[in-house]
Amino acid sequence: MYDFAAEPGNNELTVNEGEIITITNPDVGGGWLEGRNSKGERGLVPTDYVEILPNDGKDPFSCGNSVADQAFLDSLSASTAQANSSAAISNNQQVSSGNDPWSAWSASKSGNWDSTDGWGAKPEGTTAQRNTSNNWDTAFGHPQAYQGPATGDDDEWDEDWSDPRAAAPYFKDSESAEAGAAQRGNSRAGSSSMKLPLNKFPGFAKPGMEQYLLAKPLAKPKEKIPIIVGDYGPMWVYPTSTFDCVVADPRKGSKMYGLKSYIEYQLTPTNTNRSVNHRYKHFDWLYERLLVKFGSAIPIPSLPDKQVTGRFEEEFIKMRMERLQAWMTRMCRHPVISESELFQQFLNFRDEKEWKSGKRKAEKDELVGVMIFSTMEPEAPDLDLLEIEQKCDAVSKFTRAMDDGVKELLTVGQEHWKRCTGPLPKEYQKIGKALQSLATVFSSSGYQGETDLNAAITEAGKTYEEIAGLVAEQPKKDLHFLMECNHEYKGFLGCFPDIIGAHKGAIEKVKESDKLVATSKITPQDKQNMVKRVGTMSYALQAEMNHFHSNRIYDYNSVIRLYLEQQVQFYETIAEKLRQALGRFPVM
Amino acid sequence: MYDFAAEPGNNELTVNEGEIITITNPDVGGGWLEGRNSKGERGLVPTDYVEILPNDGKDPFSCGNSVADQAFLDSLSASTAQANSSAAISNNQQVSSGNDPWSAWSASKSGNWDSTDGWGAKPEGTTAQRNTSNNWDTAFGHPQAYQGPATGDDDEWDEDWSDPRAAAPYFKDSESAEAGAAQRGNSRAGSSSMKLPLNKFPGFAKPGMEQYLLAKPLAKPKEKIPIIVGDYGPMWVYPTSTFDCVVADPRKGSKMYGLKSYIEYQLTPTNTNRSVNHRYKHFDWLYERLLVKFGSAIPIPSLPDKQVTGRFEEEFIKMRMERLQAWMTRMCRHPVISESELFQQFLNFRDEKEWKSGKRKAEKDELVGVMIFSTMEPEAPDLDLLEIEQKCDAVSKFTRAMDDGVKELLTVGQEHWKRCTGPLPKEYQKIGKALQSLATVFSSSGYQGETDLNAAITEAGKTYEEIAGLVAEQPKKDLHFLMECNHEYKGFLGCFPDIIGAHKGAIEKVKESDKLVATSKITPQDKQNMVKRVGTMSYALQAEMNHFHSNRIYDYNSVIRLYLEQQVQFYETIAEKLRQALGRFPVM
């Protein structure tokens, strides 16, 4: 994807843009994978610099979802379509995004976040400019938006996605799925060149926002999301009992008489303790539905990437499961998402029939997109537009700044990971070997009375070899978690440009409404309603931010504590080992 | 001198062979200097890769020594002459060997040791082959041999060396000095192209060895060096009281009405506590005399290099003094050298007159080169030739192996030094900065109740900045001494090819003597004497090796202990700092 110049002596591989390399070990860690170029040279390459190529010539994208979703997704990922389509430049499955703890996201999904940055490099004013334009159809690129499995496909996923008419469980009788799959597949295969009429679907783009702001009266939905005002301002209502969901026991399933295989995970909600099984594509379906339904109000981080299988399959499955676990836990922690029918149904269906009907119901849900705000009932006085704008700007400013901070830490951490797992332990090993060599030479002196010294030098040498091992293993014990946490937050923060975009769009709409009142296109009461409804959006944003902040404080406190604890232990272990080595030296 | 490709991101500077760079900071440490190339780019370059250029067009070499010495030095440094001559390729004083703790030697004097290796890359057999040749004139390259101040000259040295006829203290009335200076200067300036007749001078090359082995009777010299047999075999006789010599108080002196300045050191032997002053060139004179007198029997490590002065003058003086101190201590520790009239006179002259007469006497000494063995009296039975050969081979094998071991450690240590003072602390600094940035962003959230966390994260960040400082400073506290010790031993070991060469030459001479007996050129008694005399050489070698080994054991035990102690303290300090940082995090 980019040129990468290897640092000599660091076991790196120079790659040029457009070059195709073969992954020899995607599990190097620290955002690095080991690859081999066409000359047969091996070395480390940052996973961010490479892009996964699909494994065959088939259109890898086809899936059972409604056309409405596809339109929504298209609208969200308009800005990412180009990046997405470039993943199909080669038919050889030669490059994977690797199995490192966080860069997998960067390399594919979040790659867009880096290159087609949601915030962009534009100055502050740009956002306002973007929102003062009258084109409400402008889709704000959703960097976390689902982009389909065009990257990292393997037999399992390929099978799942490429043949929707095959007897896929839970999907085989879904008519809309088949129709949608074909259309969506075509749309994707043509790099989103085939446009679907967006305004046909409620809740997305302009008609959605207008419907939400101008509908009179706003239909009272059965679904209600209350917003209360607590000590920290507007808050979601937290359920009295919370639950987590244990993702475990990945099992290979097969169908078509064993010709096709897939991995199924066991999900056990801690409140019911009753397990359900789901394949990755079901997680993917859930993510998509959550994004469609709550994406305008709540950041929904994308799922961990799918990975190339092969000889690293077990590692991949383990890593993916760890990340699916983190994702599920994150969803369970959210009071709105965890209590939603959609999420509950995903975890608590009793049989295939119930799952299918729940799935159909979810796909027909019209309270999606900005219409989700119509379900929200803030127990609070109406806000004026200035205050709403200020709150929105504050969120925009904070999330943008935090995004920079998180990225800085990720960059530094990735570099540090590399040093700690590459050159540094190699050096300690060399020191250890050099000391042992010296002791061996000394032992050949024929001089008496140096046996103790030589044994001590040998031990010191071995100690440095041990330290090499400790240094190389340490990042998995501390930096890994700091990186995972930051990567998770990078995912959250990547959702905010869309959320803020929706809010700013609504604010602009209200600002323009004076003209509509003047020309009698709407009544002053309509305008009042609009302000009230944008106020509801603002309360939702504030509630979500309060949720975000309290989680952020907890998460960062935990993860930095853990990091420091592990670091203290690490340095103490080294000191102790060296003290032992020192103790073996004779006192002269 | 060599191409050097910079490692990107490591603040290095790519230089090509023949390129001239300007030193901007020779005191980076770890074998690195900071330079600027003609394009104005700055960066680190290994000092081993650059060569010092003299600072003016004058022949920088001229000095007051006898012609005999010059011949001896020529014979010793024949193999290094080529390397030496290449130092004069430019008249611009732009590149210095830097002020790092050990590479200064490598870059200039010991540079020959690296490139024109005394041991060479030849297989074991080569030495034997070399010695079975009848050409006794073959001079074994002495890698530590004095090569004159062609490198690293500054005003001080330039003045000292370039104008021997000027009113230099202690030298102005020395006729032989003037004559020798001119000859030697010419010889050097012409890249040793002008050959002096070596056989004119006793004790060097063939006639020296023949004189020693065949003289009948061997004149009983007044000077006697006894060799006794102790628990560990042949030993030098150690004096009942030992002394050290404190090198201190470097002072700038000047002459010619302040136009020329020099540094004078105060030397105080601990046994007399009476100080004498010496300039570097006097040390250099001593080194040369010791080499001439004892170099065939005892390894005399070369002096620390002279350095470029300028804005780093103070640093240079300090570093040079530290190394002169180490060198003097090493000489004081040697029972033969410390008790020699030459060495005693250097430390104990009472006035200029006494110094001058002592100097003249030393320069006229004929018991130099292999003739030193004629002063040795082993109290032990005669050895047979086989045993002599085995002992010699064992020393050869050991010193060669140790030389490899020492070099390995030096290479590893230099690399480690670079990492510890360059990329690693930079990374810790970045981690520290990233944490502090994050805390700053968090503080702008407007959310209550995170003040403690943010203060703690800020502190953690500062702690990592402190750790960066600790990491960068640490090598000076531990690795420095390990490196200095190894460099000192590299210096010793570099003397062994000459010593072993002399021994093997003598052994070969004895082997060939059967022919001489057969052709009645010598008597069987002559041959007996030869064997006895080679046996004396062997006892001397064994005594020296026992001295070497006991020092080696003491030195390495001390220096590795020190290294480990400092390392333990280092890691404990880091652990403690991190523990304190951890303690500031709120418990949630």
Side-chain angles (χ1 to χ4, degrees):
Chain A
M1 250 175 10
Y2 312 106
D3 287 348
F4 171 67
E7 202 175 326
N10 271 344
N11 191 27
E12 295 174 4
L13 183 68
T14 297
V15 294
N16 298 313
E17 206 179 321
E19 185 176 349
I20 288 169
I21 61 165
T22 308
I23 302 302
T24 51
N25 184 357
D27 189 27
V28 182
W32 299 86
L33 55 80
E34 193 193 62
R36 192 178 58 231
N37 65 15
S38 56
K39 293 180 215 155
E41 294 162 344
R42 276 188 186 212
L44 301 184
V45 182
T47 48
D48 284 352
Y49 282 65
V50 301
E51 208 175 5
I52 309 152
L53 299 177
N55 61 333
D56 60 29
K58 287 185 284 183
D59 164 30
F61 197 102
S62 53
C63 143
N65 289 92
S66 73
V67 177
D69 302 343
Q70 178 51 29
F72 175 66
L73 291 166
D74 278 354
S75 79
L76 284 181
S77 41
S79 68
T80 62
Q82 201 187 353
N84 190 33
S85 66
S86 68
I89 53 169
S90 166
N91 292 332
N92 303 319
Q93 183 196 332
Q94 286 186 289
V95 176
S96 95
S97 68
N99 186 23
D100 80 274
W102 58 86
S103 289
W105 289 345
S106 308
S108 49
K109 297 202 174 170
S110 301
N112 301 318
W113 172 240
D114 291 328
S115 51
T116 322
D117 197 318
W119 304 109
K122 298 159 194 163
E124 287 277 334
T126 314
T127 311
Q129 208 179 16
R130 197 160 62 169
N131 290 303
T132 50
S133 81
N134 283 325
N135 181 12
W136 279 34
D137 283 333
T138 301
F140 294 94
H142 193 298
Q144 286 284 327
Y146 181 74
Q147 296 164 32
T151 59
D153 273 357
D154 55 35
D155 272 356
E156 182 197 351
W157 310 117
D158 182 54
E159 186 280 325
D160 277 6
W161 298 111
S162 65
D163 193 9
R165 284 169 196 84
Y170 316 130
F171 277 85
K172 57 187 170 191
D173 60 350
S174 163
E175 277 193 327
S176 67
E178 289 187 19
Q183 281 201 25
R184 187 170 167 185
N186 288 339
S187 148
R188 290 290 168 153
S191 301
S192 301
S193 61
M194 180 177 159
K195 290 275 179 212
L196 290 172
L198 299 183
N199 58 359
K200 269 171 66 182
F201 312 104
F204 314 115
K206 183 180 172 182
M209 186 60 86
E210 288 193 338
Q211 185 184 339
Y212 169 62
L213 291 178
L214 288 170
K216 46 181 165 172
L218 197 57
K220 283 277 174 197
K222 271 179 276 178
E223 200 180 336
K224 278 180 193 170
I225 301 174
I227 299 171
I228 57 170
V229 177
D231 293 343
Y232 294 80
M235 285 172 65
W236 303 124
V237 175
Y238 285 79
T240 45
S241 71
T242 58
F243 64 95
D244 196 357
C245 172
V246 179
V247 182
D249 199 19
R251 270 189 206 178
K252 216 163 185 161
S254 69
K255 54 188 181 174
M256 294 191 60
Y257 308 103
L259 282 174
K260 301 281 186 178
S261 65
Y262 53 85
I263 306 293
E264 206 165 48
Y265 298 89
Q266 190 186 62
L267 277 71
T268 314
T270 55
N271 53 350
T272 64
N273 212 25
R274 217 169 38 74
S275 302
V276 293
N277 290 335
H278 277 300
R279 294 167 61 177
Y280 180 90
K281 74 169 185 184
H282 302 163
F283 281 94
D284 205 60
W285 174 87
L286 175 64
Y287 165 68
E288 217 175 290
R289 294 315 316 167
L290 289 173
L291 190 62
V292 164
K293 186 164 180 66
F294 297 112
S296 298
I298 296 167
I300 312 287
S302 61
L303 286 176
D305 240 9
K306 287 180 292 297
Q307 303 283 355
V308 176
T309 52
R311 59 195 166 111
F312 307 109
E313 196 162 5
E314 290 218 359
E315 290 283 329
F316 281 135
I317 292 166
K318 194 178 152 230
M319 173 69 71
R320 187 163 60 195
M321 196 176 76
E322 191 190 316
R323 289 182 163 190
L324 285 173
Q325 176 67 74
W327 189 86
M328 281 306 292
T329 297
R330 189 61 73 178
M331 295 298 108
C332 289
R333 265 210 234 167
H334 200 288
V336 175
I337 289 168
S338 66
E339 296 296 301
S340 70
E341 199 183 336
L342 173 60
F343 193 73
Q344 288 287 339
Q345 198 268 345
F346 185 79
L347 294 181
N348 295 318
F349 64 92
R350 296 197 170 253
D351 52 30
E352 203 177 312
K353 198 181 157 196
E354 205 174 301
W355 159 250
K356 279 182 217 160
S357 68
K359 196 170 161 298
R360 265 197 300 273
K361 191 182 169 195
E363 282 160 8
K364 283 178 186 156
D365 190 356
E366 295 208 340
L367 288 171
V368 295
V370 290
M371 286 309 288
I372 194 67
F373 294 112
S374 69
T375 67
M376 294 181 186
E377 299 187 340
E379 288 177 352
D382 291 353
L383 294 167
D384 69 30
L385 200 58
L386 188 67
E387 205 176 342
I388 291 168
E389 249 190 309
Q390 283 168 347
K391 293 283 180 194
C392 184
D393 286 343
V395 171
S396 172
K397 204 175 157 192
F398 176 80
T399 52
R400 192 185 299 220
M402 182 169 168
D403 186 64
D404 289 342
V406 162
K407 278 179 188 165
E408 184 186 344
L409 208 52
L410 283 171
T411 304
V412 167
Q414 190 171 357
E415 193 61 27
H416 193 55
W417 185 294
K418 193 188 79 172
R419 200 168 305 278
C420 291
T421 55
L424 204 53
K426 257 186 215 161
E427 235 167 68
Y428 284 118
Q429 210 147 31
K430 280 188 198 164
I431 292 171
K433 291 246 180 274
L435 287 172
Q436 289 175 78
S437 297
L438 203 64
T440 305
V441 174
F442 284 1
S443 303
S444 75
S445 72
Y447 195 78
Q448 293 159 47
E450 60 174 314
T451 320
D452 288 354
L453 173 66
N454 296 339
I457 296 176
T458 302
E459 272 312 302
K462 283 184 186 163
T463 302
Y464 274 97
E465 286 193 311
E466 276 182 67
I467 290 173
L470 291 175
V471 168
E473 287 305 307
Q474 190 58 25
K476 290 183 194 157
K477 293 184 190 163
D478 49 27
L479 192 52
H480 171 71
F481 300 101
L482 189 61
M483 296 298 274
E484 284 284 328
C485 173
N486 275 288
H487 213 277
E488 222 178 337
Y489 273 89
K490 186 180 153 190
F492 278 127
L493 293 164
C495 298
F496 277 95
D498 277 348
I499 292 171
I500 289 159
H503 283 252
K504 294 216 165 180
I507 291 164
E508 287 309 307
K509 195 74 191 162
V510 172
K511 283 183 178 173
E512 288 163 18
S513 64
D514 283 338
K515 275 192 246 164
L516 298 175
V517 174
T519 55
S520 298
K521 290 197 175 153
I522 60 169
T523 65
Q525 182 56 41
D526 285 336
K527 199 208 146 161
Q528 278 303 98
N529 284 342
M530 282 175 81
V531 174
K532 189 183 172 67
R533 286 170 198 174
V534 177
T536 298
M537 287 176 75
S538 181
Y539 276 121
L541 184 60
Q542 290 174 55
E544 181 54 27
M545 285 315 289
N546 281 332
H547 176 73
F548 179 85
H549 286 317
S550 78
N551 273 277
R552 170 180 58 80
I553 292 167
Y554 177 83
D555 290 340
Y556 276 90
N557 189 23
S558 308
V559 83
I560 300 177
R561 282 186 74 99
L562 175 76
Y563 184 73
L564 291 176
E565 274 162 16
Q566 291 296 319
Q567 286 264 294
V568 167
Q569 213 176 305
F570 169 64
Y571 288 112
E572 276 178 350
T573 305
I574 292 179
E576 181 51 34
K577 283 195 180 290
L578 289 170
R579 202 199 320 279
Q580 279 171 21
L582 175 61
R584 297 192 56 133
F585 277 77
V587 179
M588 287 184 176
Chain B
M1 255 181 357
Y2 310 106
D3 288 347
F4 171 66
E7 204 175 323
N10 271 344
N11 190 29
E12 296 174 3
L13 182 69
T14 296
V15 294
N16 297 313
E17 205 179 320
E19 186 176 349
I20 288 170
I21 61 164
T22 308
I23 301 302
T24 51
N25 184 358
D27 189 27
V28 182
W32 298 87
L33 56 81
E34 193 193 62
R36 193 176 58 232
N37 64 16
S38 56
K39 292 180 215 156
E41 295 163 343
R42 275 186 188 219
L44 301 183
V45 182
T47 48
D48 284 351
Y49 284 64
V50 301
E51 207 176 2
I52 308 152
L53 300 177
N55 60 334
D56 59 29
K58 288 185 285 183
D59 164 30
F61 197 101
S62 53
C63 141
N65 289 92
S66 74
V67 178
D69 302 345
Q70 179 52 29
F72 175 65
L73 291 166
D74 278 354
S75 80
L76 284 181
S77 42
S79 69
T80 62
Q82 200 186 355
N84 189 35
S85 66
S86 69
I89 52 168
S90 166
N91 292 332
N92 303 317
Q93 183 194 332
Q94 286 185 289
V95 175
S96 93
S97 69
N99 187 23
D100 80 274
W102 59 86
S103 290
W105 290 345
S106 308
S108 48
K109 299 203 172 170
S110 301
N112 300 318
W113 173 239
D114 291 329
S115 52
T116 321
D117 197 317
W119 303 110
K122 297 160 196 162
E124 287 276 334
T126 313
T127 311
Q129 207 179 15
R130 197 160 62 167
N131 291 303
T132 51
S133 82
N134 284 324
N135 181 13
W136 279 33
D137 284 333
T138 301
F140 294 96
H142 192 299
Q144 287 283 329
Y146 180 73
Q147 296 163 33
T151 59
D153 273 359
D154 56 34
D155 271 357
E156 182 196 351
W157 311 118
D158 181 54
E159 187 279 324
D160 277 5
W161 297 112
S162 65
D163 194 8
R165 284 168 195 87
Y170 315 131
F171 278 84
K172 58 187 170 191
D173 60 350
S174 163
E175 277 192 327
S176 68
E178 289 186 18
Q183 281 203 26
R184 187 170 167 185
N186 289 340
S187 150
R188 290 291 166 152
S191 301
S192 301
S193 60
M194 181 179 157
K195 291 273 179 213
L196 290 172
L198 298 183
N199 59 359
K200 270 171 65 184
F201 313 104
F204 315 115
K206 182 178 171 183
M209 185 61 88
E210 287 192 339
Q211 185 184 341
Y212 169 64
L213 291 178
L214 289 170
K216 45 183 165 173
L218 195 58
K220 282 277 175 197
K222 270 179 277 178
E223 199 180 336
K224 278 180 193 169
I225 301 173
I227 299 171
I228 57 169
V229 177
D231 293 343
Y232 294 81
M235 285 172 64
W236 303 123
V237 175
Y238 285 78
T240 45
S241 71
T242 58
F243 65 95
D244 196 357
C245 172
V246 180
V247 181
D249 197 20
R251 271 189 207 178
K252 214 163 186 163
S254 70
K255 55 186 181 176
M256 294 190 62
Y257 308 101
L259 283 173
K260 300 280 185 177
S261 65
Y262 53 84
I263 306 293
E264 205 165 49
Y265 300 88
Q266 189 187 61
L267 277 73
T268 314
T270 55
N271 52 349
T272 64
N273 212 27
R274 217 170 38 75
S275 301
V276 293
N277 290 334
H278 277 300
R279 295 168 60 178
Y280 180 91
K281 73 170 183 182
H282 302 164
F283 281 95
D284 205 60
W285 175 87
L286 175 64
Y287 164 69
E288 218 174 290
R289 293 315 316 167
L290 289 174
L291 190 62
V292 165
K293 185 164 181 67
F294 298 111
S296 298
I298 297 168
I300 313 286
S302 60
L303 285 177
D305 240 8
K306 286 179 293 296
Q307 302 284 354
V308 176
T309 52
R311 59 192 166 113
F312 307 109
E313 198 161 5
E314 290 217 359
E315 290 283 327
F316 280 136
I317 292 166
K318 195 178 153 231
M319 172 69 71
R320 187 163 58 194
M321 195 175 76
E322 192 189 315
R323 289 182 163 191
L324 284 174
Q325 175 67 74
W327 189 85
M328 280 308 292
T329 298
R330 188 63 72 180
M331 295 298 108
C332 290
R333 264 210 234 168
H334 200 288
V336 175
I337 289 169
S338 65
E339 296 295 301
S340 70
E341 198 184 335
L342 172 61
F343 193 72
Q344 288 286 341
Q345 199 268 345
F346 186 78
L347 293 182
N348 295 318
F349 63 92
R350 298 203 167 246
D351 52 31
E352 202 178 312
K353 198 181 157 197
E354 206 174 302
W355 159 250
K356 279 182 220 160
S357 67
K359 197 172 160 295
R360 265 196 301 272
K361 190 180 170 195
E363 283 160 7
K364 283 177 188 157
D365 189 357
E366 296 206 341
L367 287 170
V368 294
V370 290
M371 286 312 287
I372 193 67
F373 294 111
S374 69
T375 68
M376 294 181 188
E377 299 187 340
E379 288 179 351
D382 291 353
L383 294 168
D384 70 32
L385 199 58
L386 188 68
E387 204 177 343
I388 291 168
E389 247 190 310
Q390 283 168 347
K391 293 284 181 194
C392 184
D393 286 342
V395 172
S396 172
K397 204 174 157 192
F398 176 80
T399 51
R400 190 184 300 220
M402 182 169 167
D403 186 64
D404 289 342
V406 163
K407 279 180 187 164
E408 184 185 344
L409 207 52
L410 283 170
T411 303
V412 167
Q414 190 171 357
E415 192 60 29
H416 193 54
W417 185 294
K418 194 190 78 172
R419 200 169 304 279
C420 290
T421 54
L424 204 53
K426 258 187 215 162
E427 235 168 69
Y428 283 117
Q429 210 147 30
K430 281 188 198 165
I431 291 171
K433 291 247 180 275
L435 286 172
Q436 289 174 80
S437 298
L438 203 64
T440 306
V441 173
F442 283 2
S443 303
S444 76
S445 72
Y447 195 77
Q448 295 160 45
E450 59 173 314
T451 321
D452 288 354
L453 173 65
N454 296 340
I457 296 176
T458 302
E459 273 311 301
K462 285 183 184 162
T463 302
Y464 274 97
E465 285 192 309
E466 276 181 66
I467 290 172
L470 291 175
V471 168
E473 287 304 307
Q474 190 58 24
K476 290 182 194 157
K477 294 184 189 164
D478 50 27
L479 192 52
H480 171 71
F481 300 101
L482 190 60
M483 296 298 275
E484 285 284 329
C485 174
N486 275 287
H487 214 277
E488 222 179 334
Y489 273 88
K490 186 179 152 191
F492 278 127
L493 294 164
C495 299
F496 277 95
D498 278 348
I499 293 171
I500 290 160
H503 284 251
K504 295 215 166 177
I507 292 164
E508 286 311 306
K509 194 76 191 160
V510 172
K511 283 184 178 172
E512 288 163 17
S513 63
D514 283 338
K515 275 191 246 166
L516 299 174
V517 174
T519 56
S520 297
K521 288 196 175 153
I522 61 171
T523 66
Q525 181 56 40
D526 286 336
K527 198 207 148 163
Q528 277 303 96
N529 284 341
M530 281 174 81
V531 174
K532 188 183 174 67
R533 286 170 198 174
V534 177
T536 299
M537 287 176 75
S538 181
Y539 276 120
L541 183 60
Q542 290 175 57
E544 181 54 27
M545 284 315 289
N546 281 332
H547 176 73
F548 180 85
H549 287 316
S550 78
N551 273 278
R552 170 179 60 78
I553 291 167
Y554 177 82
D555 289 340
Y556 276 90
N557 189 24
S558 308
V559 83
I560 300 177
R561 281 186 74 99
L562 174 77
Y563 184 73
L564 291 176
E565 274 161 16
Q566 291 296 319
Q567 286 264 295
V568 167
Q569 214 176 304
F570 169 64
Y571 287 113
E572 276 177 351
T573 305
I574 292 180
E576 182 50 35
K577 282 194 179 292
L578 290 170
R579 203 201 317 280
Q580 279 170 23
L582 176 60
R584 296 191 57 132
F585 277 78
V587 180
M588 288 185 177

